[in-house]
Amino acid sequence: MKAVFITDRGKVRQHNEDSGGIFLNPAGVRLAIVADGMGGHRAGDVASNLTVTKMKEFWEKSANVETPEQAEEWLRNTIHEVNLMLFKHAEENSDCQGMGTTIVAAICTNRFATIANIGDSRCYLLNENGFKQITEDHSLVNELVRSGQISKEDAEHHPRKNVLLRALGTEKSVEMDIVTIVFEEGDVLLLCSDGLSNKLTTDEMLEILISSENLKEKSEKFVELANHYGGEDNITLVLLEYLDESESG
């Protein structure tokens, strides 16, 4: 497996409130995370950084995750623990009140990938069946689309597009979506913050992913294009590709 993480402040924001990374547990299994923080007085980067730091810490001490059930249990328990920690941190630090973060996290083995998400950071999968988004945004506009009140096209430019229905750290308990997929030779996972998904169409993402460039070059192309389209938000992504170790990429 090959993996790359990249984050960029973008062209407008003064600070990067996104965090993320790719981490190995003692058995060599990868955990990839993208977190997009929110909150006043730079509390957004506190929320996303704390989330990634704590999850990395827990993952690097974790027992081996060999089954989807173990992966789902680890993500559920760890995210609940981190949520409570963020909530308490905000209660105890007045400059962090109201802070929270999105999260999309994937545990990737050679047989499966288990993905958890809260908020509107996304996971996409490219495989032999095509390219598709496999997470659901927990946002107001996505709920309006799901209930048939507005079209997907309307959602793209909706004035309340940034309103989240769920975030990590804003309530004492939180609901998350968890899904496990088969991860096979040649498949690619893309995890990203909305600084990327709000700027590029799925066709543009696919075009980059199927190009002959290596993963690092592809990740840089994603950032470059999001910035070309305005770069109003921080841009963060992880690419994971299941390749035979003897191949280059």
Side-chain angles (χ1 to χ4, degrees):
M1 196 175 300
K2 295 190 179 296
V4 64
F5 163 75
I6 188 170
T7 187
D8 189 85
R9 188 166 53 88
K11 296 176 78 173
V12 175
R13 297 282 176 93
Q14 300 235 316
H15 308 293
N16 191 345
E17 296 196 333
D18 288 0
S19 297
I22 303 155
F23 312 108
L24 293 174
N25 74 356
V29 179
R30 283 177 177 80
L31 169 69
I33 309 171
V34 168
D36 178 356
M38 67 202 90
H41 194 64
R42 295 198 62 187
D45 47 1
V46 173
S48 63
N49 272 318
L50 269 175
T51 296
V52 173
T53 302
K54 281 293 168 190
M55 288 192 68
K56 172 180 186 282
E57 203 176 285
F58 291 142
W59 185 246
E60 289 176 348
K61 293 176 185 166
S62 73
N64 195 14
V65 170
E66 294 179 348
T67 66
E69 292 76 20
Q70 288 172 334
E72 290 177 16
E73 184 183 16
W74 188 90
L75 284 167
R76 187 172 282 109
N77 292 344
T78 306
I79 290 171
H80 276 308
E81 199 167 330
V82 170
N83 181 73
L84 201 53
M85 181 201 68
L86 289 181
F87 184 75
K88 286 178 176 171
H89 185 90
E91 276 191 323
E92 292 161 8
N93 296 272
S94 57
D95 57 345
C96 290
Q97 280 178 2
M99 78 172 186
T101 183
T102 70
I103 184 171
V104 58
I107 292 174
C108 297
T109 75
N110 286 346
R111 293 176 296 108
F112 65 86
T114 299
I115 300 110
N117 77 294
I118 298 168
D120 62 357
S121 290
R122 294 178 177 178
C123 180
Y124 295 86
L125 171 67
L126 173 65
N127 64 12
E128 60 185 5
N129 298 317
F131 180 61
K132 64 174 183 177
Q133 181 181 339
I134 56 174
T135 52
E136 280 275 358
D137 293 355
H138 303 133
S139 64
L140 176 64
V141 292
N142 191 48
E143 203 48 50
L144 294 174
V145 171
R146 278 161 57 105
S147 61
Q149 294 179 60
I150 64 171
S151 69
K152 274 200 164 187
E153 291 69 33
D154 293 337
E156 291 302 316
H157 309 289
H158 197 279
R160 301 189 70 193
K161 189 171 181 181
N162 63 342
V163 177
L164 295 182
L165 300 181
R166 288 189 218 168
L168 193 66
T170 56
E171 305 281 345
K172 206 166 189 175
S173 64
V174 69
E175 279 185 65
M176 68 196 82
D177 293 345
I178 300 183
V179 63
T180 294
I181 58 167
V182 176
F183 202 42
E184 297 178 321
E185 184 84 22
D187 292 357
V188 180
L189 276 185
L190 163 65
L191 280 62
C192 67
S193 62
D194 66 345
L196 181 71
S197 56
N198 279 344
K199 286 296 173 188
L200 274 64
T201 65
T202 51
D203 285 347
E204 288 170 325
M205 291 180 182
L206 177 59
E207 194 177 326
I208 292 171
L209 289 176
I210 62 175
S211 71
S212 59
E213 294 170 311
N214 65 37
L215 275 196
K216 185 171 184 295
E217 290 166 341
K218 287 174 183 178
S219 68
E220 290 165 351
K221 185 65 67 71
F222 275 119
V223 169
E224 188 184 309
L225 199 52
N227 277 326
H228 172 72
Y229 288 144
E232 291 90 352
D233 202 353
N234 310 140
I235 306 148
T236 302
L237 66 121
V238 170
L239 286 174
L240 296 133
E241 185 170 13
Y242 184 7
L243 275 179
D244 189 294
E245 287 303 320
S246 62
E247 293 181 35
S248 62

